[in-house]
Amino acid sequence: MDIIARLRDVPWDELHPNERLKVESDYLRGTLEEGLADRATGAVAEADTQLTKFHGFYQQDDRDLREERRHQKLEPLYSFMVRLRLPGGMVTPEQWQTLDDVATRYANGTLRITTRQTFQYHGVLKENLRAHLQTIHQAMVDTIAACGDVNRNVICTANPHRSKIHRQVYELSHQISARLLPRSRAYHEIFLGEERIAGGAQERESEREAPASGDEQEPLYTRHYLPRKFKVALAIPPENDVDLFAHDVGFIADVQDGELQGFTVCIGGGMGMTHGEPATFPRLSDPIGYCTPEAAPAVAEAIMLVQRDHGDRRDRKHARMKYTVEDLGLDAFKAEVEQHLGEPLAPAREYHFDSNGDRLGWYQGDDGRWHYGLFVQNGRVADFPDGPQLRTGLREIAEQHDGDLVLTTNQNVIITQVDEAQRETIEALLDRYRMVSQTSPLRRNAMACVALPTCGLAMAESERYLPSLIDKLEAVMREAGLADDAIIVRMTGCPNGCARPYLAEIGFVGKAPGHYNLYLGGGFSGQRLNKLYRENINEATILAELTPLIRRYAAEREAGEPFGDFVIRIGVIGETKAGREFHAQ
Ligand code: SRM
Ligand code: SF4
């Protein structure tokens, strides 16, 4: 039974309010036109704040100024976070320049590389939204479906210029993105000035009365869209830079004799949970089968349709596909997928991952050209006072160099396609703008989510705090003789998991201002969740807890043993069980 049949007779009050909103939004139009024109407020209408997400932007307010403005009886300082759809994360140097211009003209003067291989802008005022989207549109970039209950930016192992396989997988990320893109023209009409073609939803008598066989305006999603966000990742072993098991759908490339044979397909991953609610939990995806490269977009679509039809539309905390997989069971979910495909999936194949970090520094691609993986602390491309001049430096590289720039899911950037003769020029620019500092492997492998001041859900600092905590942890590592060792550290300002902290060897998850839950024991290649070790602790306790463990690791580890494996072996923390048992001590 599909979603239209399933929901036709369900009373609205049994569904989450967002469900009604989607259906009645006239395919994501809502009253956005009117809201954008209203200059009396920096906000859009309450209901439209849900719809803007489907178009790639979020209403936020500056939380640093919230109290002060409240005292002054001013409305919060509203602005928008704008997120690009950039499957596979690659931009041309010309696009980079436009995206950089837009950061000055319409946003807060920074670009933020996200954990899903794209850019976010912060601080975009309502009156600048249209101009912002129109400018990037001229550079062939959009923000469609970057947020909202739809398929999100499709991510893949970084750098299509590295090898033939990387290029093929990158192209597939585009094909999957295109296939799962909403078809509504709302974005083009509201933001790009396209004329609306008469007919369609407005003329239907009842908003809930969808055509029996398919929906012309949204053939895949229908007016119900998905119960929740939906995420697809593609990885090329042995690198698991995308954290393949953290997503609703994962495709693991199977390469034999230098040729891409197909993909092992995994389903049901996700990170988000809520503190103190054991019914919510991070989950790693499971393999359900194997498909050819040609079939991958159809397989992604079939999986999405099963989630569309079976996902929970009553409780948004239980609406991600990982819960549908848990509730239906892997086999029943798979059977539904195969029914959509009209044939069974082949059996899953073996794979092996050995890391989930990025390749940083210089490396050579198959065609002999060079690529430079540049570390960007927490993905913030800015000119830091007394620090790296990343924005100016990367801008200049984009002006002088004709190779593409590729964003990674570890929030870094790769300067690609550098000929031997150009390497000196690039190095001189990296030097001039102090873009490469002597960072430790600990820092280079650390990630933090955005959190304060823009994220409305943050309970504690993350991006603004992690660098100073790393300073202190670096000192502990140095003193223990581990200055050259990598431990994967990740921090988020709340349990939603935007920097995938439950896969870190050391994970910090914000609980309250200055206080974090400490998780230990994630796998070095993103294959194992970590486990809660200490709850609600401040910096002094974090350091007091970690210092002896790091010292012990230095003294007692086996050759090549990662920190996450070590803490499990010595019994400091138990191995994580899947699903609900994630919360059990
Ligand atoms: Fe996220 C919500 C930032 C990757 C799980 N995420 C948010 C919002 C939009 C807050 C909000 O809803 O008001 C954050 C905006 C902060 C800001 O001011 O910019 C936000 N998420 C981010 C980014 C920018 C973090 C970063 O530092 O890079 C990442 C943008 C990705 C992108 O380009 O699309 C980001 N978010 C993730 C990931 C990682 C991933 O996808 O690989 C996750 C965990 C994986 C997953 O989805 O399970 C993630 N974000 C969430 C959740 C929890 C979802 C859940 O299932 O419970 C929320 C809250 C929600 O959806 O209700 C959320
Ligand atoms: Fe915000 Fe929480 Fe995501 Fe961090 S993890 S960006 S605090 S929603």
Side-chain angles (χ1 to χ4, degrees):
M1 199 196 280
D2 74 12
I3 190 63
I4 294 162
R6 194 179 282 275
L7 291 183
R8 183 167 288 140
D9 300 320
V10 182
W12 280 126
D13 58 10
E14 286 184 19
L15 300 177
H16 189 278
N18 282 25
E19 292 302 316
R20 179 168 194 166
L21 223 142
K22 285 179 262 186
V23 169
E24 293 184 343
S25 72
D26 189 9
Y27 295 93
L28 310 179
R29 291 175 178 85
T31 57
L32 272 169
E33 280 282 3
E34 295 85 328
L36 290 179
D38 180 359
R39 291 293 143 93
T41 163
V44 296
E46 174 72 25
D48 290 339
T49 58
Q50 297 303 323
L51 298 180
T52 64
K53 299 178 184 177
F54 291 77
H55 304 304
F57 54 95
Y58 257 75
Q59 184 171 302
Q60 303 183 318
D61 73 288
D62 188 330
R63 292 181 59 184
D64 285 348
L65 302 179
R66 212 181 253 180
E67 269 308 290
E68 188 187 318
R69 290 186 64 96
R70 207 169 54 82
H71 282 304
Q72 292 175 356
K73 303 205 176 349
L74 293 169
E75 80 168 11
L77 187 56
Y78 290 117
S79 68
F80 292 81
M81 174 273 274
V82 174
R83 188 182 284 166
L84 307 186
R85 182 174 67 93
L86 219 54
M90 184 164 80
V91 294
T92 63
E94 294 74 27
Q95 284 173 325
W96 185 286
Q97 291 170 51
T98 304
L99 299 178
D100 179 74
D101 287 341
V102 163
T104 309
R105 228 183 293 156
Y106 305 122
N108 70 354
T110 72
L111 290 148
R112 177 58 158 67
I113 304 172
T114 75
T115 54
R116 291 192 74 75
Q117 215 170 19
T118 187
F119 279 127
Q120 274 187 189
Y121 296 91
H122 292 99
V124 181
L125 299 177
K126 186 170 83 172
E127 61 262 32
N128 288 331
L129 267 172
R130 268 208 184 95
H132 187 126
L133 300 186
Q134 285 171 4
T135 311
I136 62 168
H137 179 71
Q138 283 157 16
M140 314 273 285
V141 181
D142 64 58
T143 65
I144 299 172
C147 316
D149 298 344
V150 280
N151 177 53
R152 300 294 190 84
N153 197 42
V154 179
I155 58 175
C156 72
T157 292
N159 194 1
H161 297 300
R162 234 168 96 177
S163 74
K164 182 177 80 179
I165 305 293
H166 285 78
R167 165 60 74 174
Q168 282 174 297
V169 171
Y170 168 81
E171 277 164 9
L172 259 173
S173 76
H174 274 256
Q175 286 172 31
I176 294 171
S177 175
R179 184 154 179 155
L180 304 186
L181 205 60
R183 296 284 179 265
S184 166
R185 300 302 293 176
Y187 182 92
H188 303 78
E189 291 164 15
I190 300 170
F191 306 108
L192 307 180
E194 183 180 283
E195 280 287 308
R196 182 165 192 181
I197 299 163
Q202 302 141 308
E203 296 186 353
R204 280 194 197 111
E205 278 182 9
S206 151
E207 281 297 347
R208 302 193 82 183
E209 203 176 293
S213 59
D215 181 322
E216 282 161 33
Q217 301 214 32
E218 285 292 11
L220 277 187
Y221 289 101
T222 79
R223 66 186 62 204
H224 298 279
Y225 291 88
L226 299 180
R228 210 60 165 82
K229 56 180 77 165
F230 183 81
K231 299 182 173 179
V232 181
L234 299 98
I236 309 173
E239 278 160 57
N240 188 18
D241 54 342
V242 296
D243 278 325
L244 186 110
F245 306 107
H247 311 279
D248 298 80
V249 185
F251 289 99
I252 306 175
D254 170 36
V255 181
Q256 283 168 38
D257 301 325
E259 298 296 329
L260 178 64
Q261 304 292 329
F263 293 93
T264 287
V265 183
C266 298
I267 62 163
M271 292 280 105
M273 63 158 194
T274 307
H275 285 312
E277 291 190 21
T280 66
F281 44 82
R283 184 182 192 282
L284 297 186
S285 62
D286 298 296
I288 55 162
Y290 182 89
C291 69
T292 61
E294 297 71 37
V299 170
E301 178 183 304
I303 296 167
M304 192 179 88
L305 294 182
V306 176
Q307 163 64 359
R308 182 198 67 180
D309 295 346
H310 293 272
D312 188 339
R313 290 184 186 257
R314 290 172 171 80
D315 177 5
R316 280 180 75 79
K317 284 195 178 171
H318 185 254
R320 287 297 294 274
M321 195 177 93
K322 61 184 173 185
Y323 301 116
T324 318
V325 169
E326 289 264 320
D327 295 349
L328 278 183
L330 207 56
D331 290 343
F333 196 108
K334 178 181 169 186
E336 291 274 341
V337 172
E338 290 175 337
Q339 207 178 339
H340 276 285
L341 290 171
E343 59 181 355
L345 289 163
R349 297 209 181 154
E350 295 275 300
Y351 51 81
H352 170 72
F353 289 116
D354 61 18
S355 74
N356 64 351
D358 280 346
R359 272 195 180 192
L360 297 177
W362 287 109
Y363 61 87
Q364 235 168 337
D366 279 5
D367 63 1
R369 280 187 297 181
W370 291 90
H371 309 283
Y372 189 88
L374 177 67
F375 169 64
V376 178
Q377 183 150 254
N378 301 328
R380 187 65 69 175
V381 179
D383 288 340
F384 294 91
D386 305 322
Q389 304 297 292
L390 280 169
R391 214 183 135 207
T392 307
L394 281 164
R395 165 85 194 204
E396 202 153 322
I397 287 176
E399 283 169 3
Q400 291 196 24
H401 174 54
D402 55 7
D404 296 318
L405 293 135
V406 178
L407 311 183
T408 79
T409 50
N410 286 301
Q411 304 171 322
N412 297 312
V413 62
I414 308 170
I415 302 154
T416 75
Q417 301 160 289
V418 182
D419 290 329
E420 185 67 50
Q422 293 172 305
R423 278 181 63 180
E424 263 184 44
T425 316
I426 299 291
E427 294 216 337
L429 288 169
L430 290 172
D431 260 11
R432 183 182 320 152
Y433 295 102
R434 286 173 287 150
M435 289 192 272
V436 187
S437 47
Q438 286 308 314
T439 52
S440 66
L442 187 77
R443 191 179 300 273
R444 288 198 299 271
N445 279 287
M447 282 208 290
C449 72
V450 177
L452 292 160
T454 52
C455 179
L457 306 177
M459 300 167 172
E461 294 282 351
S462 186
E463 181 185 327
R464 295 195 296 195
Y465 168 55
L466 184 63
S468 69
L469 180 63
I470 294 282
D471 289 344
K472 292 167 185 143
L473 290 173
E474 272 175 346
V476 178
M477 293 282 282
R478 253 195 323 272
E479 189 252 337
L482 297 177
D484 296 329
D485 284 78
I487 296 179
I488 311 279
V489 177
R490 293 178 179 175
M491 174 176 277
T492 55
C494 86
N496 281 320
C498 297
R500 302 185 286 270
Y502 310 111
L503 287 166
E505 298 183 285
I506 301 178
F508 299 103
V509 175
K511 190 88 198 279
H515 288 72
Y516 298 83
N517 283 0
L518 169 60
Y519 292 79
L520 294 179
F524 190 75
S525 54
Q527 81 287 12
R528 183 181 61 230
L529 291 173
N530 51 23
K531 211 166 165 54
L532 181 61
Y533 180 62
R534 292 287 181 264
E535 221 174 327
N536 206 19
I537 56 176
N538 63 13
E539 182 177 278
T541 316
I542 289 171
L543 294 171
E545 291 288 351
L546 288 178
T547 304
L549 282 178
I550 290 173
R551 285 186 187 147
R552 219 178 138 187
Y553 174 56
E556 296 174 30
R557 66 180 166 166
E558 290 171 355
E561 186 178 31
F563 182 78
D565 294 2
F566 172 76
V567 286
I568 290 175
R569 179 172 63 79
I570 62 167
V572 165
I573 193 105
E575 187 140 2
T576 312
K577 303 277 189 323
R580 288 173 182 80
E581 291 176 51
F582 178 76
H583 297 277
Q585 288 290 318

